Amino acid sequence: MFTNVWHQRRIILVTAITTISSTLVGYDAGVYGSVLVMPSFLAKFDLEDNPLRAANLGGNMITVYYIGALVSSVFITPCLIWFGRRSPMLGSSLGLVVGGVLQTISPTIAIIYVGRVISGLGVGAASVAGPMYLAECATKEHRTASVSFVQAAVTFGAFISYWIGFGVRQEVPSDFQWRFLLGFQVILAGLFFLGLFFLPESPRYLAAVHVKEEAKRRRQGLPALPLFPSSSHNPNDPNFNGKADSDSKSAAPDSLPAGIDTLDSQLSYSKVAHTLADRIFLGRTGPATALSTLAYLRCLPMLSEVVRDECAEIYAAVGEAEAEREADGGLWNLLFRKKGSILRLFIVGWVGIWQANTGQLVLLTYAPTVLESLGLSSTTISLVASGGFTTWELVCVLFAVFYGLKKMGRVTAMTFGGIAVGIVFFMLAAIEGSYPVDPLASSPSKASYAMVFLIYVFVPFFCIFLGPVFRLYGSEVCTGSLREVGQSVLMVMTWAACVGGVKTTPIGLIAIGWKFWFVPAVCNFCFGVGAWFLMPETKGRTIEQMDIVFGAIDEATRITHIQQVLREEKAAVVQSA
């Protein structure tokens, strides 16, 4: 997953903490499948003799959760622009804590609904901010592993949801069994909340803040300040020499550069203070900067050529975006005038819709219903549907994250995966249509076992070639002024398609039977073929190089801008000394 683990330990920490919210997505998707079959829960809310009401409750729990996620995905964009990445994630973690607590202590179904909506609001915001934050913090070499681990976390959440539910259902007969199962999400949400205090702000957001403040200074006729602020610009300063990440104060300044003694000047470097981890463990003070944050994440000194070159590329891209925003009259004009903007937003919307229509949502949410329709008995369903299915998914997605995705490009993976999954569902429809399930049969037929086998064949195709790549590709194609909008579009389309899917799937399985499988079959086949012709390859590129990939700027111009950033930095250092 990560080469040179010790050198990449902070990216690993960032990934581990940020993806806790993704674990909650998987956990919440499967938790009520276990809760709604617990006798203590059914007795508590008088559902024992009303299976239809219990079934409707389960569907509603899923629907209101996805609606909450959809709403927060729509409105999170301004927060990401104004407050960065960490603050919206902190807000989402509080929503997850409050929602989980309400569900756990709820005396009525109505309170459970309220808690479910609040949890949905929290997870929707985190689903937009989290992958974008990971993509902005990781290097191009480790972005694949870092962002694709989001899908691994979702799968792990579904995995532990089933096995915790299985355990408490066997051993705990009282109300505690379902309250513990719902309360476990509070533990995860609390870990997410506390962990965020140990993470830095995104270096790309910090660079954007700095560039905007510099633009304000130019309009006011004030002299430029160094783009790469440090406590000293003397190359012989011991704070900036020595071994990579010797845990000296090389990764963050202890004081402000000369001439930066006003609040406005400090804001030009950052609106975000150092993280709790900096203050507790390293004793750092002063404002965080894009350069100091990059150095901290890369475990390198701030004078490292690698760090400063990466920072220069970031500033070049951010400066281009700010200049375009000023020239074109704002963000919305930029969306329609910058070359490639509409294509990029179309692609992320495409990926979002595809992500919810692969068939994974149907199988994860309604696995028992699906397998029962294929002829399995209720006693077999528990083991095969939830336990075996989620375990097999976890194995496959971990293989993809640690090994598989390093060997292939994004577009190749999506094209192959889409076509393969489409073929699997076409075969499933053909078998079920040719050999209808006999509901009166005493045991499953050979055709039933063949269809269950196909569902298990679906898992590696989705978990290796599609699921992780959707998260990765969607988080990296939009850059500069499009980043927040693009990630929001991705998840809005995903959650909207999820809302439609969870409501239509039970109706479709009953109304049209085996023909229902043509829906994911056609979607995957068409999206897979379309990906080959529509989507450019992004593997091995930095986030800033996506502008070159989509033709927004040519490579020679970008190199010129990077060199200009470095020249301006030297001039500003001399002027501020």
Side-chain angles (χ1 to χ4, degrees):
M1 179 179 177
F2 292 96
T3 57
N4 194 349
V5 172
W6 177 247
H7 190 63
Q8 297 296 329
R9 64 190 182 276
R10 286 172 181 156
I11 293 297
I12 295 174
L13 176 67
V14 166
T15 303
I17 292 174
T18 305
T19 54
I20 293 175
S21 63
S22 303
T23 303
L24 277 162
V25 173
Y27 188 89
D28 285 347
V31 67
Y32 276 93
S34 297
V35 167
L36 290 171
V37 297
M38 292 182 173
S40 59
F41 181 85
L42 298 175
K44 172 70 176 179
F45 297 105
D46 298 323
L47 299 171
E48 292 174 298
D49 301 321
N50 197 337
L52 179 60
R53 185 178 169 220
N56 287 333
L57 177 64
N60 292 338
M61 290 297 175
I62 298 168
T63 302
V64 298
Y65 178 74
Y66 285 150
I67 289 175
L70 172 62
V71 170
S72 62
S73 297
V74 172
F75 293 104
I76 192 64
T77 301
C79 297
L80 295 170
I81 294 173
W82 297 333
F83 305 116
R85 317 301 185 233
R86 286 179 63 248
S87 296
M89 285 195 290
L90 279 168
S92 73
S93 66
L94 289 175
L96 289 165
V97 170
V98 172
V101 169
L102 288 176
Q103 293 173 70
T104 303
I105 66 173
S106 173
T108 66
I109 293 294
I111 299 298
I112 292 181
Y113 277 131
V114 172
R116 194 72 170 158
V117 171
I118 294 175
S119 291
L121 291 170
V123 85
S127 69
V128 176
M132 179 167 58
Y133 174 72
L134 290 175
E136 291 180 344
C137 288
T139 64
K140 65 180 181 180
E141 293 82 8
H142 299 104
R143 191 172 66 242
T144 297
S146 185
V147 181
S148 62
F149 200 78
V150 170
Q151 183 63 37
V154 172
T155 306
F156 179 67
F159 173 82
I160 62 174
S161 172
Y162 170 76
W163 287 110
I164 293 176
F166 181 84
V168 298
R169 190 163 63 245
Q170 301 298 316
E171 303 296 335
V172 184
S174 66
D175 275 4
F176 181 76
Q177 63 178 193
W178 64 268
R179 292 193 188 277
F180 176 81
L181 193 57
L182 294 179
F184 189 77
Q185 63 186 307
V186 181
I187 298 175
L188 293 174
L191 290 173
F192 181 44
F193 174 76
L194 293 175
L196 287 171
F197 286 97
F198 292 85
L199 302 185
E201 181 53 84
S202 160
R204 286 167 170 84
Y205 170 75
L206 294 174
V209 170
H210 185 192
V211 168
K212 290 176 183 177
E213 292 295 332
E214 275 299 297
K216 183 189 299 184
R217 288 180 61 85
R218 285 196 303 271
R219 289 193 295 271
Q220 295 172 348
L222 298 174
L225 295 172
L227 291 178
F228 303 164
S230 60
S231 61
S232 170
H233 295 290
N234 181 359
N236 297 318
D237 188 332
N239 283 343
F240 300 104
N241 290 326
K243 297 180 180 179
D245 191 39
S246 60
D247 278 340
S248 68
K249 299 179 181 179
S250 60
D254 282 328
S255 60
L256 295 172
I260 305 178
D261 53 4
T262 66
L263 180 60
D264 287 342
S265 297
Q266 294 178 30
L267 285 175
S268 71
Y269 292 107
S270 174
K271 293 181 180 178
V272 184
H274 278 298
T275 64
L276 183 63
D278 289 335
R279 295 195 294 271
I280 291 176
F281 298 112
L282 302 176
R284 293 170 179 158
T285 59
T289 68
L291 181 68
S292 68
T293 302
L294 273 178
Y296 178 80
L297 291 170
R298 305 293 180 258
C299 301
L300 292 168
M302 281 202 287
L303 284 188
S304 164
E305 185 176 348
V306 172
V307 173
R308 297 180 83 83
D309 285 351
E310 183 178 0
C311 198
E313 184 179 25
I314 292 172
Y315 269 102
V318 171
E320 292 162 4
E322 183 62 24
E324 289 166 349
R325 193 194 302 252
E326 290 182 352
D328 292 336
L331 174 61
W332 294 108
N333 284 338
L334 178 61
L335 293 180
F336 293 99
R337 295 182 62 178
K338 184 176 181 179
K339 185 177 180 181
S341 296
I342 296 300
L343 175 60
R344 285 198 256 189
L345 293 179
F346 177 78
I347 286 175
V348 295
W350 168 294
V351 170
I353 295 172
W354 186 6
Q355 186 171 227
N357 285 282
T358 56
Q360 166 71 358
L361 177 67
V362 175
L363 298 177
L364 179 64
T365 307
Y366 295 108
T369 304
V370 169
L371 292 176
E372 187 174 5
S373 73
L374 300 181
L376 270 68
S377 65
S378 58
T379 54
T380 311
I381 285 173
S382 176
L383 178 61
V384 176
S386 299
F389 186 72
T390 56
T391 303
W392 178 226
E393 276 195 316
L394 184 60
V395 170
C396 291
V397 76
L398 288 176
F399 169 81
V401 171
F402 285 98
Y403 181 78
L405 291 177
K406 296 188 295 184
K407 304 297 182 180
M408 65 188 115
R410 323 296 197 225
V411 176
T412 301
M414 288 188 286
T415 299
F416 176 78
I419 293 173
V421 168
I423 291 172
V424 168
F425 281 115
F426 275 126
M427 293 174 65
L428 185 62
I431 295 175
E432 188 175 358
S434 302
Y435 302 95
V437 174
D438 182 3
L440 300 178
S442 58
S443 62
S445 65
K446 292 181 180 179
S448 295
Y449 285 121
M451 289 184 283
V452 173
F453 174 75
L454 284 175
I455 288 178
Y456 272 72
V457 170
F458 158 85
V459 170
F461 288 133
F462 173 81
C463 291
I464 296 174
F465 300 100
L466 293 180
V469 184
F470 289 150
R471 311 277 181 174
L472 178 60
Y473 196 86
S475 68
E476 63 188 9
V477 297
C478 289
T479 59
S481 301
L482 292 177
R483 285 201 61 72
E484 296 87 356
V485 175
Q487 191 68 23
S488 182
V489 168
L490 170 69
M491 294 314 302
V492 165
M493 300 308 292
T494 298
W495 293 120
C498 286
V499 171
V502 298
K503 295 302 290 183
T504 58
T505 293
I507 299 172
L509 289 172
I510 294 172
I512 60 177
W514 62 272
K515 300 182 186 69
F516 176 81
W517 299 116
F518 282 117
V519 176
V522 172
C523 283
N524 281 289
F525 195 86
C526 292
F527 279 122
V529 173
W532 182 260
F533 295 100
L534 178 67
M535 300 181 181
E537 184 55 65
T538 58
K539 182 183 179 182
R541 298 277 194 164
T542 65
I543 292 293
E544 287 67 37
Q545 287 172 345
M546 298 305 164
D547 288 332
I548 300 172
V549 171
F550 284 90
I553 193 171
D554 62 83
E555 189 167 4
T557 303
R558 172 58 58 78
I559 292 174
T560 300
H561 290 169
I562 293 173
Q563 294 171 343
Q564 181 181 350
V565 167
L566 293 173
R567 286 195 300 269
E568 290 177 352
E569 158 65 8
K570 291 179 181 179
V573 167
V574 172
Q575 185 176 7
S576 65

